[in-house]
Short mmCIF file of all heavy atoms in Angstrom, two decimals:
data_model
loop_
_atom_site.label_atom_id
_atom_site.label_comp_id
_atom_site.label_asym_id
_atom_site.label_seq_id
_atom_site.Cartn_x
_atom_site.Cartn_y
_atom_site.Cartn_z
N ASP A 63 -33.14 197.27 109.52
CA ASP A 63 -31.96 196.76 110.24
C ASP A 63 -30.79 196.78 109.26
O ASP A 63 -30.49 195.79 108.59
CB ASP A 63 -32.24 195.34 110.75
CG ASP A 63 -31.05 194.76 111.51
OD1 ASP A 63 -30.13 195.54 111.84
OD2 ASP A 63 -31.05 193.54 111.79
N ALA A 64 -30.10 197.92 109.20
CA ALA A 64 -29.05 198.10 108.20
C ALA A 64 -27.86 197.18 108.41
O ALA A 64 -27.08 196.94 107.49
CB ALA A 64 -28.59 199.55 108.19
N ILE A 65 -27.68 196.67 109.64
CA ILE A 65 -26.53 195.81 109.90
C ILE A 65 -26.84 194.34 109.63
O ILE A 65 -25.98 193.49 109.82
CB ILE A 65 -26.04 195.99 111.35
CG1 ILE A 65 -27.13 195.55 112.34
CG2 ILE A 65 -25.61 197.43 111.59
CD1 ILE A 65 -26.64 195.53 113.78
N GLY A 66 -28.05 194.06 109.21
CA GLY A 66 -28.40 192.68 108.90
C GLY A 66 -27.69 192.19 107.67
O GLY A 66 -27.23 192.98 106.83
N PRO A 67 -27.54 190.87 107.50
CA PRO A 67 -26.82 190.33 106.35
C PRO A 67 -27.56 190.61 105.04
O PRO A 67 -28.78 190.59 104.99
CB PRO A 67 -26.76 188.82 106.64
CG PRO A 67 -27.92 188.56 107.54
CD PRO A 67 -28.09 189.80 108.37
N ARG A 68 -26.78 190.88 104.01
CA ARG A 68 -27.34 191.11 102.68
C ARG A 68 -27.52 189.78 101.97
O ARG A 68 -26.72 188.86 102.11
CB ARG A 68 -26.39 192.01 101.89
CG ARG A 68 -26.85 192.32 100.47
CD ARG A 68 -25.90 193.29 99.80
NE ARG A 68 -24.57 192.73 99.64
CZ ARG A 68 -24.19 191.97 98.60
NH1 ARG A 68 -25.06 191.68 97.64
NH2 ARG A 68 -22.96 191.52 98.53
N CYS A 69 -28.59 189.65 101.18
CA CYS A 69 -28.84 188.42 100.44
C CYS A 69 -28.03 188.42 99.14
O CYS A 69 -28.04 189.39 98.38
CB CYS A 69 -30.33 188.29 100.12
SG CYS A 69 -30.74 186.77 99.22
N LEU A 70 -27.32 187.35 98.91
CA LEU A 70 -26.53 187.23 97.69
C LEU A 70 -27.44 187.17 96.47
O LEU A 70 -28.49 186.52 96.49
CB LEU A 70 -25.67 185.96 97.73
CG LEU A 70 -24.53 185.92 98.75
CD1 LEU A 70 -23.95 184.51 98.80
CD2 LEU A 70 -23.44 186.92 98.41
N SER A 71 -27.03 187.83 95.39
CA SER A 71 -27.74 187.69 94.12
C SER A 71 -27.38 186.36 93.48
O SER A 71 -26.45 185.67 93.91
CB SER A 71 -27.37 188.84 93.19
OG SER A 71 -26.00 188.75 92.81
N ASP A 72 -28.10 186.00 92.43
CA ASP A 72 -27.80 184.74 91.72
C ASP A 72 -26.37 184.74 91.19
O ASP A 72 -25.67 183.73 91.27
CB ASP A 72 -28.77 184.55 90.55
CG ASP A 72 -30.12 184.02 91.00
OD1 ASP A 72 -30.18 183.38 92.06
OD2 ASP A 72 -31.12 184.27 90.30
N ILE A 73 -25.94 185.86 90.64
CA ILE A 73 -24.58 185.95 90.10
C ILE A 73 -23.55 185.73 91.21
O ILE A 73 -22.59 184.96 91.06
CB ILE A 73 -24.34 187.32 89.45
CG1 ILE A 73 -25.33 187.57 88.33
CG2 ILE A 73 -22.92 187.43 88.92
CD1 ILE A 73 -25.26 188.96 87.77
N GLU A 74 -23.78 186.40 92.32
CA GLU A 74 -22.82 186.27 93.43
C GLU A 74 -22.76 184.85 93.94
O GLU A 74 -21.67 184.32 94.23
CB GLU A 74 -23.21 187.24 94.56
CG GLU A 74 -23.03 188.70 94.20
CD GLU A 74 -23.57 189.61 95.28
OE1 GLU A 74 -24.78 189.49 95.60
OE2 GLU A 74 -22.79 190.43 95.80
N GLU A 75 -23.91 184.22 94.06
CA GLU A 75 -23.91 182.83 94.54
C GLU A 75 -23.15 181.93 93.59
O GLU A 75 -22.34 181.09 94.01
CB GLU A 75 -25.35 182.33 94.71
CG GLU A 75 -25.95 182.63 96.06
CD GLU A 75 -27.12 181.70 96.38
OE1 GLU A 75 -26.95 180.47 96.21
OE2 GLU A 75 -28.16 182.20 96.81
N ARG A 76 -23.42 182.06 92.29
CA ARG A 76 -22.74 181.20 91.32
C ARG A 76 -21.23 181.40 91.37
O ARG A 76 -20.46 180.44 91.36
CB ARG A 76 -23.27 181.48 89.90
CG ARG A 76 -24.64 180.94 89.63
CD ARG A 76 -24.95 180.93 88.15
NE ARG A 76 -24.97 182.26 87.57
CZ ARG A 76 -26.07 182.97 87.37
NH1 ARG A 76 -27.25 182.48 87.73
NH2 ARG A 76 -26.02 184.17 86.81
N GLU A 77 -20.80 182.66 91.40
CA GLU A 77 -19.36 182.94 91.42
C GLU A 77 -18.72 182.51 92.74
O GLU A 77 -17.58 182.05 92.75
CB GLU A 77 -19.12 184.42 91.16
CG GLU A 77 -19.43 184.87 89.75
CD GLU A 77 -18.54 184.20 88.72
OE1 GLU A 77 -17.34 183.95 89.01
OE2 GLU A 77 -19.03 183.91 87.60
N LEU A 78 -19.44 182.67 93.84
CA LEU A 78 -18.89 182.26 95.13
C LEU A 78 -18.73 180.75 95.21
O LEU A 78 -17.71 180.25 95.67
CB LEU A 78 -19.79 182.76 96.27
CG LEU A 78 -19.24 182.60 97.69
CD1 LEU A 78 -17.86 183.24 97.81
CD2 LEU A 78 -20.21 183.22 98.69
N TRP A 79 -19.72 180.03 94.70
CA TRP A 79 -19.59 178.57 94.67
C TRP A 79 -18.45 178.14 93.75
O TRP A 79 -17.70 177.22 94.06
CB TRP A 79 -20.90 177.93 94.20
CG TRP A 79 -21.88 177.67 95.31
CD1 TRP A 79 -23.06 178.28 95.53
CD2 TRP A 79 -21.72 176.71 96.37
NE1 TRP A 79 -23.65 177.78 96.65
CE2 TRP A 79 -22.86 176.81 97.18
CE3 TRP A 79 -20.73 175.78 96.69
CZ2 TRP A 79 -23.04 176.00 98.31
CZ3 TRP A 79 -20.91 174.99 97.81
CH2 TRP A 79 -22.05 175.09 98.61
N ARG A 80 -18.34 178.81 92.64
CA ARG A 80 -17.24 178.48 91.71
C ARG A 80 -15.89 178.70 92.38
O ARG A 80 -14.98 177.87 92.26
CB ARG A 80 -17.37 179.37 90.47
CG ARG A 80 -16.31 179.15 89.40
CD ARG A 80 -16.50 180.14 88.25
NE ARG A 80 -15.45 180.01 87.27
CZ ARG A 80 -15.47 179.16 86.26
NH1 ARG A 80 -16.50 178.36 86.09
NH2 ARG A 80 -14.48 179.10 85.39
N ALA A 81 -15.75 179.81 93.09
CA ALA A 81 -14.49 180.08 93.78
C ALA A 81 -14.20 179.05 94.85
O ALA A 81 -13.06 178.61 95.02
CB ALA A 81 -14.54 181.49 94.38
N VAL A 82 -15.23 178.65 95.60
CA VAL A 82 -15.05 177.65 96.67
C VAL A 82 -14.56 176.34 96.10
O VAL A 82 -13.62 175.72 96.61
CB VAL A 82 -16.38 177.47 97.44
CG1 VAL A 82 -16.33 176.20 98.28
CG2 VAL A 82 -16.66 178.68 98.32
N VAL A 83 -15.18 175.88 95.02
CA VAL A 83 -14.80 174.60 94.43
C VAL A 83 -13.41 174.67 93.80
O VAL A 83 -12.59 173.76 93.96
CB VAL A 83 -15.85 174.15 93.40
CG1 VAL A 83 -15.37 172.92 92.62
CG2 VAL A 83 -17.17 173.85 94.09
N LEU A 84 -13.13 175.75 93.08
CA LEU A 84 -11.83 175.87 92.43
C LEU A 84 -10.70 176.01 93.44
O LEU A 84 -9.57 175.57 93.19
CB LEU A 84 -11.82 177.07 91.48
CG LEU A 84 -12.66 176.91 90.21
CD1 LEU A 84 -12.68 178.22 89.43
CD2 LEU A 84 -12.12 175.79 89.33
N ASP A 85 -10.98 176.60 94.59
CA ASP A 85 -9.94 176.78 95.61
C ASP A 85 -9.74 175.54 96.45
O ASP A 85 -8.73 175.41 97.13
CB ASP A 85 -10.30 177.95 96.54
CG ASP A 85 -10.20 179.29 95.83
OD1 ASP A 85 -9.62 179.30 94.72
OD2 ASP A 85 -10.71 180.29 96.36
N GLY A 86 -10.71 174.62 96.41
CA GLY A 86 -10.61 173.43 97.26
C GLY A 86 -9.64 172.42 96.70
O GLY A 86 -9.48 172.25 95.48
N ALA A 87 -8.98 171.68 97.59
CA ALA A 87 -8.02 170.66 97.15
C ALA A 87 -8.72 169.55 96.37
O ALA A 87 -8.16 168.96 95.46
CB ALA A 87 -7.29 170.08 98.36
#
Side-chain angles (χ1 to χ4, degrees):
D63 181 12
I65 63 172
R68 179 176 64 86
C69 181
L70 292 170
S71 66
D72 281 335
I73 301 173
E74 292 173 302
E75 272 202 49
R76 286 194 296 263
E77 290 297 324
L78 189 54
W79 272 112
R80 180 183 177 87
V82 165
V83 171
L84 289 174
D85 291 347

